[in-house]
């Protein structure tokens, strides 16, 4: 639209005036802007005016101007016309009306359209107090604060999807040289979409606005079942790792949102079907940075509704190695225990520590937290585990944190391996009793065998040798000459027959004593000696 090429001088015409035609019988036109009435500097916008099929010509009137801003012939449909603006600038900002000419005269002007240019001034902010913008149905929000250092006279709060400002308030002085406005919002209803932006402007240029603030979305929670928020890593992470969070639900949600406490909402993700009919979405947060530490929740929803589910249980992401000191971890009474015993893991540091955290490798549960106590020149915390079960076994580390940044942790302690033995303390008395009895029996058996051996040695006569040694003794008798074999051959003593006649001729040999050539077999298991005579 060219401002100079389409202006016509119409003396006596001012915004809202009527011609002498019979305007009372003509319908009033409507005026609107596409793609919207709030446009950034340099973008294109089209103002539309719709009237009657009898319209022969349309005029665009701007408030404060005595001349027609523009005029156009109707399109083929006759009932509407467009006034294009190729590059939005300050001179196009203002309030517009349109009217049309029919065979009976000029119509009444339309309702006003306020066309606003966003100049690119310093952005504003709408701070969200933590997760206060996630509310249940019917709840009242704390006021939304729109603030800037640009000294704007008025602030506007716009709700997404509406063409006109939702609220306009005069600014108030704020700390640090700022101005601000507090916009009350609520009560919350699930039938509306609650996404806000705010703008500022000066009173002498009410249609020239600043850049918008970042969007702030209000999520209505508690309408349906809550999902679960999981992490593919441990909840204690280190810089350089890749952080991925997953939101899952057994409800067929087709969109999920992730929020971090005290920070703007993270982007939404469309869902995908997982195993067993679960729906879920994966949030890739990139390489871990200190800003990733915090408390997260996720929500599920449906595309055709602004309602969101109740929040998932919170998931804390903790960053190790952000504080310079390294605590120590020890165990009392020792690293190897039996089920049922009382065990205490002791975390200590000479540096100032507000809270100690105890983490078990591979555990799904979050780390245990205890406030530190100052004793004997050290900060410490005692983590009791009583009574111990096999589930307590594993590798542990401890960390320290400060109250000002509870999600940023110290260097990890050296790992401590807790071993839980397979038998409990109630087996110890029986085990000790059995071992004692076995020891006494073995000692008695050894004494018995020793006494028996000494008795045999005393009872042996000269020239009478027990069978096991008989072969060796006979072999050691070397002949004076090599009479029956080659060099080195030995002569063996012939085996004597033991009969009643021999017993009579050898009265010194008892009936139960072995003689030369006798084989002796001993069964040490039952303590009884069996002899076989040959």
């Amino acid at each position: 639209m060219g401002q100079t090429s389409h202006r016509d001088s119409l003396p006596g015409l001012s915004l809202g005036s009527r011609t002498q035609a019979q305007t009372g019988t003509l319908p009033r036109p409507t005026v609107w802007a596409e793609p919207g009435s709030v446009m950034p500097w340099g973008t294109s916008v089209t103002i539309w005016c719709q009237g009657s099929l009898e319209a022969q010509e349309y005029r665009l009137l701007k408030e404060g101007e005595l001349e027609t801003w523009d005029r156009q012939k109707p399109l083929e449909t006759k009932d509407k016309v467009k006034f294009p603006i190729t590059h939005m600038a300050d001179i196009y900002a203002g309030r517009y009306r349109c009217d049309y000419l029919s065979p009976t005269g000029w119509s009444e002007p339309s309702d006003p359209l306020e066309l606003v240019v966003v100049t690119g001034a310093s952005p504003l902010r709408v701070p969200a107090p933590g997760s206060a913008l996630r509310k249940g149905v019917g709840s009242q929000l704390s006021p939304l604060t729109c603030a800037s250092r640009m000294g704007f006279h008025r602030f506007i709060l716009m709700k997404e999807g509406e063409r006109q400002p939702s609220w306009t308030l005069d600014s108030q002085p704020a700390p640090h040289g700022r101005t601000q406005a507090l916009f009350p919002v609520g009560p919350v209803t699930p039938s509306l979409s609650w996404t806000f932006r705010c703008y500022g402007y000066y009173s002498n240029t009410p249609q020239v606005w600043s850049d918008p603030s970042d969007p702030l979305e209000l999520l209505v929670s508690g309408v349906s079942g809550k999902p679960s928020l999981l992490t593919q890593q441990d909840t204690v992470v280190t810089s350089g790792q890749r952080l991925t969070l997953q939101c899952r639900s057994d409800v067929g949600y087709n969109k999920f949102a992730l929020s971090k406490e005290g920070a703007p909402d993270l982007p939404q993700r469309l869902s995908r079907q997982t195993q067993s009919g679960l729906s879920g979405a994966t949030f890739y947060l990139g390489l871990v940075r200190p800003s990733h530490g915090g408390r997260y929740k996720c929500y599920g929803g449906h595309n055709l509704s602004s309602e969101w589910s109740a929040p998932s249980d919170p998931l804390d992401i903790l960053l190790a190695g952000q504080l310079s000191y390294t605590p120590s971890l020890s165990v009392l009474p020792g690293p190897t225990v039996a089920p049922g015993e009382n065990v205490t893991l002791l975390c200590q540091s000479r540096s100032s520590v507000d809270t100690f955290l105890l983490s078990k490798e591979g555990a799904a549960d979050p780390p245990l937290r205890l406030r530190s106590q100052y004793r004997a020149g050290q900060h410490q915390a005692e983590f009791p585990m009583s009574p111990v079960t096999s589930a307590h076994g594993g590798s542990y580390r401890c960390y320290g944190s400060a109250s000002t940044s509870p999600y940023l942790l110290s260097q990890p302690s050296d790992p401590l391996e807790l071993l839980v033995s397979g038998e409990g303390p109630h087996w110890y008395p029986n085990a000790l009793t059995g071992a004692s009895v076995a020891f006494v029996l073995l000692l008695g058996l050894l004494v018995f065998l020793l006494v028996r051996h000494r008795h045999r040695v005393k009872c042996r006569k000269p020239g009478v040798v027990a069978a096991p040694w008989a072969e060796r003794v006979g072999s050691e008798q070397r002949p004076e000459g090599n009479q029956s074999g080659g060099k080195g051959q030995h002569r063996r003593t012939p085996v004597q027959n033991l009969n009643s006649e021999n017993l009579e001729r050898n009265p010194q040999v008892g009936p139960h004593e072995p003689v030369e050539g006798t084989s002796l077999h001993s069964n040490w298991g039952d303590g009884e000696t069996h002899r076989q005579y040959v």
Side-chain angles (χ1 to χ4, degrees):
M1 178 178 68
Q3 180 179 354
T4 57
S5 61
H6 292 87
R7 283 189 180 177
D8 290 331
S9 194
L10 295 175
L13 178 64
S14 62
L15 195 62
S17 65
R18 298 192 182 190
T19 66
Q20 297 178 356
Q22 298 177 358
T23 57
T25 60
L26 297 176
R28 294 181 65 184
T30 56
V31 62
W32 70 93
E34 290 183 355
S37 59
V38 179
M39 301 300 298
W41 184 286
T43 57
S44 61
V45 61
T46 299
I47 300 176
W48 288 87
C49 184
Q50 186 170 15
S52 170
L53 293 174
E54 299 178 356
Q56 299 173 350
E57 187 180 14
Y58 287 86
R59 296 184 302 189
L60 186 63
L61 314 170
K62 185 181 179 186
E63 187 177 85
E65 298 286 343
L66 297 179
E67 299 176 348
T68 299
W69 186 261
D70 199 357
R71 59 198 309 158
Q72 293 282 355
K73 294 293 184 179
L75 301 176
E76 294 180 358
T77 56
K78 300 287 188 181
D79 65 336
K80 62 182 178 181
V81 71
K82 61 181 180 180
F83 301 95
I85 300 174
T86 55
H87 297 282
M88 189 66 186
D90 289 4
I91 59 172
Y92 299 116
R95 291 166 63 92
Y96 291 88
R97 298 175 189 261
C98 72
D99 59 6
Y100 62 91
L101 178 65
S102 72
T104 58
W106 288 96
S107 69
E108 290 188 25
S110 65
D111 291 332
L113 164 71
E114 189 159 18
L115 188 61
V116 174
V117 59
V118 177
T119 61
S122 179
L124 301 98
R125 64 186 185 93
V126 184
S131 58
L133 291 184
R134 295 188 181 273
K135 292 292 186 177
V137 176
S139 59
Q140 187 78 27
L141 288 176
S142 300
L144 305 185
T145 303
C146 187
S148 176
R149 297 182 181 274
M150 299 297 294
F152 296 115
H153 300 140
R154 293 180 70 82
F155 291 98
I156 303 100
L157 187 67
M158 294 282 291
K159 186 158 49 175
E160 190 174 88
E162 296 186 359
R163 295 181 178 179
Q164 299 299 323
S166 303
W167 295 272
T168 302
L169 291 177
D170 292 335
S171 65
Q172 302 293 331
H176 310 295
R178 298 180 302 168
T179 57
Q180 67 180 25
L182 304 179
F183 294 94
V185 178
V188 175
T189 61
S191 59
L192 297 176
S193 175
W194 297 77
T195 300
F196 299 98
R197 290 178 173 86
C198 80
Y199 303 80
Y201 68 86
Y202 301 104
S203 57
N204 58 333
T205 55
Q207 286 85 34
V208 179
W209 293 1
S210 71
D211 270 352
S213 67
D214 291 333
L216 182 66
E217 184 177 13
L218 170 63
L219 299 180
V220 183
S221 63
V223 181
S224 55
K226 66 180 182 181
S228 299
L229 184 58
L230 310 171
T231 176
Q232 293 184 348
Q233 302 80 17
D234 289 336
T235 57
V236 179
V237 297
T238 57
S239 296
Q241 285 184 268
R242 292 193 176 276
L243 182 58
T244 301
L245 302 182
Q246 290 183 332
C247 192
R248 294 188 177 183
S249 175
D250 55 2
V251 178
Y253 297 124
N254 46 36
K255 65 178 180 180
F256 290 88
L258 181 68
S259 72
K260 179 172 176 281
E261 189 174 90
D265 293 336
L266 301 179
Q268 298 178 20
R269 294 286 188 272
L270 296 179
S271 71
R272 59 180 178 84
Q273 294 297 317
T274 58
Q275 295 180 357
S276 304
L278 297 176
S279 61
T282 301
F283 296 87
Y284 300 99
L285 303 185
L287 296 178
V288 170
R289 303 185 302 275
S291 60
H292 282 128
R295 174 162 291 182
Y296 292 80
K297 296 179 182 179
C298 74
Y299 302 75
H302 301 280
N303 286 335
L304 300 180
S305 173
S306 61
E307 300 177 2
W308 291 89
S309 71
S312 67
D313 291 333
L315 175 67
D316 290 344
I317 298 299
L318 309 171
L319 269 72
Q322 301 301 308
L323 306 179
S324 59
Y325 61 89
T326 302
S328 63
L329 182 62
S330 57
V331 58
L332 300 173
T336 302
V337 295
E341 287 194 50
N342 296 329
V343 173
T344 299
L345 298 185
L346 178 63
C347 195
Q348 294 177 306
S349 175
R350 294 191 179 277
S351 301
S352 180
V353 180
D354 294 325
T355 303
F356 284 103
L357 296 89
L358 182 67
S359 173
K360 182 181 179 184
E361 185 176 326
D365 296 329
L368 300 175
R369 289 177 176 263
L370 282 179
R371 297 287 296 176
S372 70
Q373 304 291 329
Y374 187 74
R375 294 177 183 173
Q378 290 198 103
H379 295 267
Q380 67 178 42
E382 297 181 357
F383 294 88
M385 296 183 180
S386 304
V388 167
T389 66
S390 59
H392 287 102
S395 182
Y396 291 84
R397 292 178 185 266
C398 81
Y399 306 82
S401 72
S403 58
T404 54
S405 302
Y407 303 104
L408 302 182
L409 308 184
S410 69
Q411 300 288 339
S413 68
D414 291 335
L416 185 146
E417 191 75 22
L418 183 64
L419 301 176
V420 181
S421 62
E423 294 184 345
H426 59 280
W427 289 100
Y428 282 6
N430 295 336
L432 290 175
T433 301
S436 301
V437 172
F439 178 76
V440 171
L441 291 175
L442 180 60
L443 182 61
L445 181 60
L446 291 175
V447 171
F448 171 77
L449 294 174
L450 181 61
V451 171
R452 186 177 181 87
H453 176 68
R454 287 183 177 180
H455 176 71
R456 285 183 184 176
V457 172
K458 289 180 180 180
C459 293
R460 276 197 193 114
K461 302 298 181 179
V464 179
V465 183
W469 292 273
E471 186 75 15
R472 181 174 59 84
V473 172
S475 66
E476 290 175 353
Q477 298 176 358
R478 297 180 179 271
E480 295 180 359
N482 189 4
Q483 301 176 359
S484 61
K487 184 179 180 180
Q489 289 183 343
H490 293 219
R491 182 167 58 102
R492 298 181 182 274
T493 303
V495 178
Q496 299 179 357
N497 291 327
L498 187 64
N499 49 35
S500 58
E501 183 180 354
N502 290 341
L503 288 176
E504 292 177 357
R505 285 182 304 199
N506 296 282
Q508 69 272 27
V509 179
H512 299 294
E513 282 296 323
V515 294
E516 187 177 7
T518 303
S519 65
L520 178 65
H521 300 275
S522 177
N523 185 346
W524 300 102
D526 56 8
E528 182 180 358
T529 302
H530 303 274
R531 293 184 176 88
Q532 181 181 358
Y533 298 97
V534 181

